[in-house]
Amino acid sequence: MPMRAAGAKRPKAFLYGVLSGVVEPIGTLLTVAAAGLVVPVLPYLLSFAAGAMLYVVVEELIPEMAQGRHSDVVTLLFSVGFTLMMALDVALG
């Protein structure tokens, strides 16, 4: 639709639209092939993603924690506190 609105002829816009979707089956096959290799390291990848999400929450979504000179210290202390809380949660059930 955007190509057609920009002045491209219908067959050319349709062809480019179809070609833009060709990469999806190829990506699916590569993902299925790589799934066996990724499963052993999946817990580490997921923990890295969770840590990145926590960092974004602390730095961007809680603005009071990011104010002032010591915002990095606050972020590290939040991480230590969260780790301690999770360890106690697992240990104490």
Side-chain angles (χ1 to χ4, degrees):
M1 297 290 289
M3 288 188 65
R4 182 75 178 123
K9 297 197 186 290
R10 278 184 201 219
K12 184 177 181 180
F14 178 76
L15 177 66
Y16 285 165
V18 170
L19 289 177
S20 71
V22 168
V23 296
E24 292 183 21
I26 295 169
T28 302
L29 293 175
L30 289 173
T31 302
V32 169
L37 301 173
V38 173
V39 169
V41 295
L42 196 57
Y44 303 107
L45 296 174
L46 289 173
S47 64
F48 179 77
M53 289 170 35
L54 279 174
Y55 176 79
V56 168
V57 166
V58 171
E59 286 292 321
E60 301 296 330
L61 298 179
I62 308 174
E64 291 84 13
M65 290 180 74
Q67 292 175 350
R69 292 182 11 203
H70 304 292
S71 66
D72 293 337
V73 174
V74 173
T75 303
L76 288 173
L77 289 175
F78 179 85
S79 300
V80 169
F82 185 80
T83 303
L84 178 64
M85 179 192 70
M86 290 305 295
L88 289 173
D89 183 49
V90 170
L92 301 176

